[in-house]
Amino acid sequence: MLQRKEKPLRTSNYGKSLNRQEEYVWYRGIPGLISFSTILPLNIHTSIAEMARYTVIWPFIGGLIGVLVGVVGLLLSNYVMLPSLVTASLIYSFAIWFTGFHHLDGLMDLGDALMAHGTPERKIEIMRDMRIGTGGIALFFMVALTTVAVISSIPIASIFFVLLISEIAAKMGLVSCCTISRPIGNGTGRHFIEAMNPLYLILMAATTTIIGFLSLNVVGLIGIISGILGGFLVAVVVRINMKYATGDVLGASNEVARMAAILAMIMTFKWI
C-alpha cells in the first residue's frame, strides 16, 4: 500500500506546500487517493496529507478495484479453459499488479519485523530496512498461497461478487487497522491513521456490510466482517510487538483482510 520507505507518489512542491486545512480539496485528494491505490496514470499533483483526509472512503475505491478484478475473474473462469489453480493465480496476480504491489511491500516488511527479536524500536528499524529477509518471504507465501487457494475454491456462479466484496473488505481491513493503531512520529502512514476514528469506521462498516449483504446475502456480510476483523488482527499483533504502526503495517492489513474475507466466504458457502 503505502510506498516502501515512505516515498511520495506523484506529489509536487505545490502539493507539499499545502499547510492550511481549507486548502485541501476533494478534486485533488480523492483522485490522488485513487492514483495512490492503483496503477492508473491520473497524474494528480497532491500531497499525502491531502489524500489522507479521504481515508474513510478507501473501501469505495476498493469497490472500484473489485469491479475490475471481478470482471477479470468472470472472464477467466467462464471463457478461458484453464485449471482452477491457474485461473486463481492469474486473478490474484492481476489484483496485486493493478494495486501497484504496494500492499505486498508492506506485508513482507512486516514479516521481517515480526520475525526479529529485540525492542519495538529495533523491529520498526528492521521493517523499514530496504532488504527482504526470511520472515518477509515466509509471510508473503503464507498469505499469497492461501489467497490463491481460496480463490480457486470460489463457485464460478459467484466469482464476480466474491472478488468484488473481497476488495472492499481488504480496504475495510486497512481502515479498521488505521482506527485502532498508534501512529509513529514520522512517515506517511501517520496521516492515514490520524484521519480515521471509530465513528468513521462504524459508518463505513454499516455501509459496506449492506453492500455485502445485497451482493451475496449472508456470505457477503460475513466477507466484509471478516475483512474488518483481519485489519483488527494485524493492528493488535503490531501493537503487541512494535507499539506503533507504519505505512507498511497498513499495507499488510490490506492483504491479510482480503485473504480473511475470501476464506470466510468460502467457509460460509459450505456451511449454508
Side-chain angles (χ1 to χ4, degrees):
M1 184 208 71
L2 307 177
Q3 287 213 339
R4 177 183 287 276
K5 311 311 147 220
E6 320 295 358
K7 294 189 295 185
L9 178 66
R10 285 193 279 275
T11 61
S12 65
N13 290 333
Y14 173 71
K16 293 176 183 177
S17 70
L18 296 174
N19 55 17
R20 291 185 301 171
Q21 183 171 350
E22 61 269 19
E23 290 181 319
Y24 294 121
V25 292
W26 68 268
Y27 54 81
R28 284 196 307 265
I30 294 177
L33 189 58
I34 294 173
S35 179
F36 187 71
S37 305
T38 67
I39 61 169
L40 295 176
L42 299 183
N43 196 29
I44 301 299
H45 298 285
T46 183
S47 68
I48 296 294
E50 184 173 37
M51 68 177 71
R53 285 173 57 84
Y54 303 94
T55 300
V56 66
I57 70 165
W58 227 331
F60 293 146
I61 296 174
L64 296 176
I65 297 170
V67 168
L68 292 177
V69 176
V71 168
V72 169
L74 199 62
L75 293 175
L76 289 175
S77 298
N78 287 278
Y79 300 105
V80 182
M81 301 304 168
L82 293 171
S84 60
L85 276 176
V86 177
T87 298
S89 298
L90 292 173
I91 293 169
Y92 180 63
S93 296
F94 176 80
I96 60 177
W97 167 77
F98 188 72
T99 53
F101 305 110
H102 302 322
H103 310 305
L104 287 183
D105 178 78
L107 182 71
M108 297 176 76
D109 284 343
L110 178 60
D112 283 337
L114 293 178
M115 182 181 174
H117 297 283
T119 64
E121 292 76 15
R122 175 57 180 158
K123 293 180 180 181
I124 290 175
E125 180 183 347
I126 290 171
M127 185 163 57
R128 288 179 161 178
D129 192 284
M130 293 292 291
R131 294 166 293 183
I132 298 297
T134 304
I137 295 172
L139 186 58
F140 163 72
F141 273 108
M142 290 167 61
V143 173
L145 290 176
T146 302
T147 303
V148 169
V150 292
I151 290 175
S152 71
S153 303
I154 300 172
I156 293 179
S158 303
I159 193 165
F160 174 82
F161 288 109
V162 170
L163 294 173
L164 167 64
I165 293 168
S166 72
E167 293 300 327
I168 298 174
K171 292 299 183 286
M172 280 304 301
L174 197 157
V175 298
S176 69
C177 183
C178 286
T179 304
I180 66 171
S181 292
R182 296 168 61 187
I184 200 165
N186 53 24
T188 59
R190 65 184 175 87
H191 296 291
F192 298 94
I193 294 171
E194 292 169 354
M196 280 302 297
N197 60 55
L199 178 58
Y200 285 168
L201 180 63
I202 291 170
L203 290 173
M204 286 308 301
T207 303
T208 54
T209 50
I210 291 172
I211 293 172
F213 184 79
L214 292 176
S215 300
L216 277 178
N217 298 316
V218 176
V219 174
L221 178 67
I222 294 297
I224 297 295
I225 293 173
S226 298
I228 295 171
L229 294 177
F232 282 150
L233 175 63
V234 172
V236 170
V237 169
V238 169
R239 179 74 68 94
I240 293 171
N241 283 271
M242 291 175 284
K243 296 184 180 179
Y244 301 98
T246 67
D248 286 328
V249 172
L250 303 184
S253 69
N254 185 95
E255 297 303 298
V256 172
R258 180 200 290 116
M259 176 192 71
I262 303 176
L263 177 60
M265 284 188 280
I266 294 301
M267 293 173 65
T268 307
F269 271 125
K270 292 186 179 297
W271 290 339
I272 63 174

